[in-house]
């Protein structure tokens, strides 16, 4: 009996891996036909009106076919360089505060980079060692998941689940600061071979205002989430990097309430929200050894130092890199694109 069950399970898993390979070949063929453009140290394809690295498009389409949402999933979404690392640390700490007490030496933030604590949903399948979406399935509930996908690219099964009972937190940032942050990050990307290549700031600016940036156009990405947050405020919380910076405790309290784990009166009296803010601050995280040493290999052959997710962490740093006229170029395009939406960035 045991031998028969083993044979059957081997046959099923071989069927499954054949199916996975077939899906993968279909996706690869589809992605190879998309318009391609080089920039930001990588190549991008235009998929559903968004410029996305082809490996991430692969990851997104894979999610469409195999992702199994759970009713209590929490999705942390953002345009790249808008404060994802910060949001990962905050949401993780808030959700797990009864399991991992703040101030304890074994708090996971002390031993793992926030990027590792909360997985990225559209991780290319080439990074999952042939394990498909197992890295998401093994997570305990409620799962905290991050994505840079625009809302319109969410797998339909995830959209239905969110419409029923899910929660999405969207982190937005002033575009000039997000642009400068991305430009620095792209210049840090290097191949395993050590080769560097990046665009100068002026050319990067031209690309950005044409809508060609990673997961861009930047404005369409923000607008999709903004509109949905207005129509379904109980499902989508729209946060701005600058607002959290200026009134962190107020927004952390709001975030905890939205996530379904509000701070009790006692916790507020004991200063727990303040302690969350402190632990997850730029100064605190960037000073930890775990975030200063080591590197991540991304997108097959690109390497990025763990410390590169912590550069300056301030509001308005764009003035140190761009002229006023360059800044006005971004302001003008944002004003035009956001007109009438009620969203001001
Ligand atoms: P990602 O989209 O690749 O995940 P993301 O974390 O969104 O990156 O962006 C990094 C930016 O957030 C950096 O901004 P800067 O280049 O303008 O400095 C980084 O410094 C900033 N950042 C990281 N952690 C924090 C934090 N705890 N508080 C505030 N800003 C932070």
């Amino acid at each position: 009996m045991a031998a028969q069950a083993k044979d059957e399970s081997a046959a099923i898993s071989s069927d499954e891996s054949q199916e996975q390979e077939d899906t993968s070949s279909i996706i690869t063929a589809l992605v190879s036909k998309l318009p391609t453009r080089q920039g930001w140290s990588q190549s991008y394809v235009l998929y559903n009106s968004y410029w996305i690295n082809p490996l991430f498009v692969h990851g997104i389409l894979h999610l469409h076919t195999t992702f199994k949402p759970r009713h209590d999933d929490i999705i942390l979404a953002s345009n790249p360089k808008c404060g994802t690392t910060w949001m990962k640390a905050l949401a993780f700490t808030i959700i797990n505060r009864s399991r991992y007490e703040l101030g304890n030496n074994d708090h996971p933030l002390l031993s793992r980079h926030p990027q590792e604590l909360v997985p990225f949903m559209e991780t290319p399948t080439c990074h999952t060692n042939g394990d498909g979406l197992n890295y998401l399935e093994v997570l305990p509930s409620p799962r905290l998941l991050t994505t840079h996908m625009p809302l319109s690219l969410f797998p339909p099964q995830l959209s239905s689940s969110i419409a029923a009972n899910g929660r999405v937190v969207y982190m937005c940032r002033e575009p000039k600061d997000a642009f400068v942050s991305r430009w620095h990050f792209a210049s840090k990307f290097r191949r395993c071979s050590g080769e560097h290549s990046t665009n100068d700031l002026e050319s990067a600016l031209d690309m950005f205002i044409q809508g060609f940036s990673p997961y861009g156009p930047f404005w369409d990405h923000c607008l999709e989430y903004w509109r949905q947050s207005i129509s379904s405020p109980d499902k989508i919380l729209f946060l701005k990097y600058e607002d959290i910076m200026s009134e962190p405790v107020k927004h952390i309290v709001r975030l905890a309430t939205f996530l379904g784990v509000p701070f009790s009166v006692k916790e507020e009296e004991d200063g727990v929200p303040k302690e969350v803010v402190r632990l997850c601050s730029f100064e605190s995280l960037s000073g930890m050894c775990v975030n200063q040493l080591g590197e991540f290999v991304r997108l097959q052959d690109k390497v990025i130092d763990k410390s590169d997710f912590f550069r300056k962490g301030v509001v308005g740093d764009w003035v140190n890199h761009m002229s006023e006229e360059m800044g006005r170029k971004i302001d003008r395009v944002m004003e035009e694109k956001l007109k009438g939406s009620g969203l001001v960035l």
Side-chain angles (χ1 to χ4, degrees), residues 153-178:
L153 276 181
F154 272 27
Q157 64 275 33
L158 175 60
S159 304
S160 314
S161 172
I162 289 167
N165 37 31
R167 282 156 296 180
V168 177
V169 178
Y170 185 70
M171 185 75 156
C172 199
R173 190 177 188 186
E174 201 285 321
K176 297 189 287 303
D177 280 344

Side-chain angles (χ1 to χ4, degrees), residues 81-86 115 173 181 241 280 309 311-313:
K81 300 297 140 199
C82 287
T84 324
T85 312
W86 192 14
Q115 290 285 341
R173 190 177 188 186
S181 180
Y241 183 100
C280 300
F309 287 88
R311 191 183 61 91
K312 273 196 175 172

Side-chain angles (χ1 to χ4, degrees), residues 304-333:
I304 190 88
D305 291 333
K306 292 187 176 181
S307 60
D308 287 333
F309 287 88
F310 304 94
R311 191 183 61 91
K312 273 196 175 172
V314 297
V315 172
D317 181 51
W318 69 270
V319 295
N320 298 313
H321 303 276
M322 291 158 70
S323 65
E324 279 194 20
E325 180 45 31
M326 287 170 86
R328 270 197 294 275
K329 280 190 183 173
I330 295 189
D331 288 344
R332 275 197 293 269
V333 74

